[in-house]
Amino acid sequence: MSAHTSQTELKLIGKLILEGEMRCETGLHVGAGKGSLEIGGSDNPVVKDAFGRPYVPGSSLRGKIRSLLEQTSGLAVPAELVYLSRRKGQEVRIHQSDRPDDEICLLFGRNAGRMERVQGETLETTQATPARLAVFDAPLDPESITAQMRENLDDELTEVKSENAIDRITSQANPRTLERVPSGARFKTRFVMDVLCEEDAPLFLRVLEGLRLLEDDALGGGGARGSGRVSFSNLRLVWRGKNYYASGAAEKEIGAGATLAVIQAAVADSAFSFLREE
């Protein structure tokens, strides 16, 4: 857990901004829902912007990182989970607590109020916490879909993967199709973490941990069936202190490199000295 206490004062010191690319190592399916189904189209289309280009919603990336960090922190257990929704068949359970040093709640935010725990007494807290981490929608880099790739795609920018679900009694096949962004496509990513007190800065290491976990997990649907493997590259991390916004002071580059490991090492080497330079 972090060094935060209930007396920790919050005042913007600056922002850590990580930008780079996310590459599809296998086909990627982030679903748009079946409301956009077209005649002759895939059963499960990917989400697209107003120009028809696939993108990865920031909410999908942020939610996956949160889920992975909850699991690795041992917080994805009934006593640590609360219900966001209890609709039958559509239950949503996430971690939330009233502990002031809870890193998940510090990073992703926490509302005050009464929430029913999955197991145990109802959670009642007046401890509202502003989210530190913002994850922006990741647009597709159109140049990453090469002319050679387009020749073999089912659509201009996407492929359609056909699958069969087999009935275990009758052996009858139930065909389905899944639209995917093809392997090799790249998306432009942007992560911004507000540092509202000196105790916030080490939380960025948890963000990097979540991204590294994601590289060995899956994003979007069909992960257990081969979809959704991604990697991050061409990364650059900068610090923009409050003077950057107030008086036009220069930003400070903390690290740049091909991999998350390079950025992790740069953050560790900095020892968060950039906080004391404000």
Side-chain angles (χ1 to χ4, degrees), residues 9-74:
E9 295 184 3
L10 304 183
K11 182 179 181 180
L12 181 68
I13 299 175
K15 295 174 181 279
L16 286 163
I17 301 174
L18 178 67
E19 294 182 318
E21 294 180 339
M22 182 177 70
R23 185 182 188 277
C24 297
E25 301 296 336
T26 63
L28 174 67
H29 173 81
V30 178
K34 296 188 178 181
S36 59
L37 179 63
E38 300 178 359
I39 296 175
S42 167
D43 298 335
N44 297 287
V46 298
V47 62
K48 298 182 178 73
D49 63 19
F51 299 97
R53 295 179 298 227
Y55 72 99
V56 177
S59 58
S60 297
L61 264 174
R62 191 175 186 270
K64 184 64 180 184
I65 294 167
R66 176 172 185 158
S67 175
L68 290 169
L69 289 176
E70 287 176 356
Q71 292 175 26
T72 195
S73 302

Side-chain angles (χ1 to χ4, degrees), residues 261-278:
V262 171
I263 300 299
Q264 276 184 319
V267 173
D269 290 344
S270 76
F272 307 109
S273 62
F274 50 85
L275 295 175
R276 298 182 287 276
E277 295 172 5
E278 280 302 306

